[in-house]
DNA sequence: CCTACATAGTTCAACTTTCAAGGATGAGTC
DNA sequence: GACTCATCCTTGAAAGTTGAACTATGTAGG
């Protein structure tokens, strides 16, 4: 399982390259299953939504966030943060959604730098029409196939992983992750 | 939890729009954690590899597959299938990796339509140099944070989900998923 | 051989994402 | 006010992805 360390060989205090701890066979299998399942699911949902709603999964997620926000509106940065995407990406995305008439921008009165993105009625309608199909897809891929215990386990596992990634790494355009 | 069905209300045999079974609060929380964790991790690995290896995660995965293949080579379609990407995407990816000198194409003697993608020595070297960092990132994000039981649970869960998605959906350019 | 159809891979155009740079406003300090 | 620095968001170009169309080769049946 663990790779034998080489650090003791010469009492090296600088440790230029500690022998990496490779993944065990079991871990490799889990890792592959993880990659496998997550990419298949993301692809599946992307295609499902592209077909039924005319937008990729991420964009759909943005509409959902807006729909649940107080006055159907959110500041750009907050929306980016809760959707886990860069502000740059959000700018492009909102521009596209705006072209579709599903989102509008509105200036922020208290902060002239700020912008609100807000869900239009048309946007809400798209959501209303396509949500059932999307939920069905999610159910079919995940909740209908897992036992209640597994769902709970998955929740706990994903929370732990997310925790570890949230405050990590300094990103150029993800200042809230510093 | 379950939404009350409306199907019995009028003995409707056509069932034009059965009330969708929305996600329960618990399910919603799990679903969000899932999206949250998986996107953060994928982004994290993408940046880690882009920085250290000069390529996105998917491309790195292609090199790994090739490295493990019999003579460091694979038919394009097989490679696409095992990496869960379309052949189109693979064509572009291999073109890029070829420019980097990490992969070469070779004709298939038995089938003139076919192409092999094969890992060059340079490609193997890149892999050798960057694998430790990548494994460390994966460990840090996943295996170092989960208990052995959770790792096992995650494996089981991901296998179930992948199963459900594998043979599903007819894809235009994913003929093996029919 | 010929036709019809399937498979292997590529290519093009449209779209999405990333990265680095930039313009504008806010906040703190002197 | 002037300076400095942080924050808000956008932009443009390069890179990556998608879906459909396309070329070429294989395969099966008459």
């Amino acid at each position: 399982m663990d790779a034998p360390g080489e650090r003791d060989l010469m009492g090296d205090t600088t440790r230029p390259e500690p022998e990496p701890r490779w993944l065990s066979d079991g871990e490799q299998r889990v890792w592959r299953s993880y990659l496998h399942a997550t990419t298949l699911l993301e692809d599946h949902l992307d295609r499902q939504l592209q077909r039924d709603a005319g937008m990729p999964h991420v964009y759909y997620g943005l509409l959902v966030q807006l729909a649940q926000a107080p006055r159907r509106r959110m500041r750009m940065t907050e929306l980016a943060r809760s959707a886990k995407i860069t502000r740059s990406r959000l700018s492009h995305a909102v521009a596209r959604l705006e072209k579709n008439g599903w989102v509008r921008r509105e200036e922020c009165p208290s902060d002239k730098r700020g912008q609100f993105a807000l869900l239009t009625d048309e946007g809400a309608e798209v959501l209303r029409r396509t949500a059932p199909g999307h939920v069905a897809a999610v159910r079919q891929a995940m909740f209908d196939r897992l036992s209640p215990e597994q769902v709970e386990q998955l929740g706990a596992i994903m929370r732990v992983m997310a925790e570890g990634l949230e405050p990590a790494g300094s990103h150029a355009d993800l200042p809230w992750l510093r």
Side-chain angles (χ1 to χ4, degrees), chain A residues 6-20:
Chain A
E6 290 182 350
R7 313 193 235 141
D8 299 331
L9 289 184
M10 36 194 296
D12 184 353
T13 54
T14 59
R15 291 179 208 160
E17 291 192 26
E19 176 69 11

Side-chain angles (χ1 to χ4, degrees), chain A residues 61-83:
Chain A
L62 296 175
L63 297 194
V64 171
Q65 298 269 359
L66 290 179
Q68 296 174 338
R71 300 178 52 219
R72 271 190 186 172
R73 71 196 60 203
M74 259 192 234
R75 286 288 295 272
M76 292 292 281
T77 295
E78 196 200 338
L79 181 51
R81 179 159 46 108
S82 72

Side-chain angles (χ1 to χ4, degrees), chain A residues 77-113:
Chain A
T77 295
E78 196 200 338
L79 181 51
R81 179 159 46 108
S82 72
K84 269 77 198 170
I85 63 178
T86 62
R87 282 176 300 191
S88 172
R89 188 175 175 183
L90 181 60
S91 271
H92 290 298
V94 167
R96 197 271 221 186
L97 292 171
E98 212 169 8
K99 252 187 226 163
N100 284 279
W102 298 334
V103 164
R104 259 189 323 111
R105 288 184 219 242
E106 203 162 86
E107 309 215 327
C108 175
S110 60
D111 187 337
K112 287 176 190 168
R113 299 167 303 178

Side-chain angles (χ1 to χ4, degrees), chain A residues 37-161:
Chain A
T38 53
T39 67
L40 283 176
L41 178 49
E42 186 57 20
D43 283 7
H44 182 62
L45 294 182
D46 260 335
R47 287 180 219 276
Q48 186 262 317
L49 284 170
Q50 191 69 56
R51 174 166 50 78
D52 298 344
M55 65 189 128
H57 189 197
V58 182
Y59 289 25
Y60 182 88
L62 296 175
L63 297 194
V64 171
Q65 298 269 359
L66 290 179
Q68 296 174 338
R71 300 178 52 219
R72 271 190 186 172
R73 71 196 60 203
M74 259 192 234
R75 286 288 295 272
M76 292 292 281
T77 295
E78 196 200 338
L79 181 51
R81 179 159 46 108
S82 72
K84 269 77 198 170
I85 63 178
T86 62
R87 282 176 300 191
S88 172
R89 188 175 175 183
L90 181 60
S91 271
H92 290 298
V94 167
R96 197 271 221 186
L97 292 171
E98 212 169 8
K99 252 187 226 163
N100 284 279
W102 298 334
V103 164
R104 259 189 323 111
R105 288 184 219 242
E106 203 162 86
E107 309 215 327
C108 175
S110 60
D111 187 337
K112 287 176 190 168
R113 299 167 303 178
Q115 290 271 108
F116 282 104
L118 66 88
L119 189 66
T120 64
D121 288 347
E122 270 191 66
E125 167 58 20
V126 170
L127 225 42
R128 196 194 57 68
R129 200 178 63 239
T130 59
H134 179 58
V135 173
V138 171
R139 265 199 183 294
Q140 185 183 342
M142 177 175 290
F143 296 105
D144 285 353
R145 306 184 60 84
L146 299 178
S147 69
E149 295 78 33
Q150 285 181 311
V151 171
E152 195 152 331
Q153 293 166 359
L154 181 61
I157 289 168
M158 290 296 145
R159 268 190 296 282
V160 169
M161 284 176 46

